Structures are given as C-alpha cells and as structure tokens.
Amino acid sequence: RIQLAPMIEEIFTDLAPLVEKRGITLEADGDGVMTGSDALIYRLIFNLTENAVKYNRPGGSVRVCVTQETEKLLIRVSDTGCGIPEEYRQSIFQPFFRVDKSRSREYGGAGLGLSLVWEIADLHGGSVWVEESSEKGTTIAVELPVQ
C-alpha cells in the first residue's frame, strides 16, 4: 500500500536543486492510498514533476494534485510552461520523442521519461493523458485503480 502525499514530499526534496536553479515554486494538494509498486509509482510522479520543472518558465510553478475516489486515484501535475502543441499530445508518450529537438542537449535525458510514465500507468491498470495545454501551461493527468 502506497500513501502518495509523503511520496510527493520526498520527490519535491529530491528535485530541490533543479527547482532552486530554475526558481520554480512547488505545491502539493490532496492525498490518496493505492496498491502497487512504490518504486514505480515514485518514478511515475517524479518523471512528471521533473518534466514540469524542466519545461517551465523561470520563476514558474508546478502543482501536484491527488484526488482519491472509491475505485480510482487521479494525479494531476500542472505547470506554467509554454504548453504542448495539439499535434504532439499523443506523441509525447512515445520513447525518444521530443517536442523541441533543439532543446535536448540543454535538458539532458534520453527522452524516455514520459514513455516510462505511460508504461508504469499501464502496468498498474491505469492511463495517462494531456488533460489541458496552452501557452499558460500544461496539466498531465494519471488515473490509477486503488486496488
């Protein structure tokens, strides 16, 4: 059994150096309990939060919101970045895909973060999608069964 609020706080601590460097504000809201692999769920939330920090505006904010329902858990990671163009909103979950290829050196990584998020959600019987995205920011949602 995994309680998400303490895990999210741990993720915020682990991301502190990157967050401070970029001047991002982190906010967590809500809590939930689910059954699953704590290492994989940690990776799922970490990857989404790290991306929200990396692709944000300097001085922007990231909010991780957890909503517990009877049968499912909804995790939303929202940022104040520049958004994801409509035509790329499905592609971002494919391995090695990058919206802006020219920024891959600047941000590092192999382009596997969101494909891992997709796989981890799928392994737990859940799903992930871009809930909304505009020039004001992006919200990525993950729905996971409680059991």
Side-chain angles (χ1 to χ4, degrees), residues 43-114:
R43 177 55 53 196
L44 179 147
I45 298 170
F46 182 93
N47 286 3
L48 288 174
T49 308
E50 182 184 44
N51 273 7
V53 170
K54 279 184 181 177
Y55 298 103
N56 211 321
R57 297 179 166 88
S61 65
V62 173
R63 184 167 189 248
V64 180
C65 181
V66 178
T67 307
Q68 174 96 49
E69 295 178 14
T70 312
E71 300 291 319
K72 63 186 177 186
L73 203 66
L74 192 60
I75 304 165
R76 288 185 176 96
V77 179
S78 304
D79 65 49
T80 54
C82 58
I84 301 164
E86 182 85 43
E87 66 267 25
Y88 299 131
R89 292 184 191 167
Q90 288 301 321
S91 305
I92 61 168
F93 299 106
Q94 295 172 6
F96 310 113
F97 182 84
R98 289 182 188 276
V99 171
D100 183 353
K101 316 276 186 275
S102 66
R103 295 183 355 174
S104 60
R105 276 214 176 104
E106 180 184 348
Y107 294 114
L112 293 172
L114 290 178

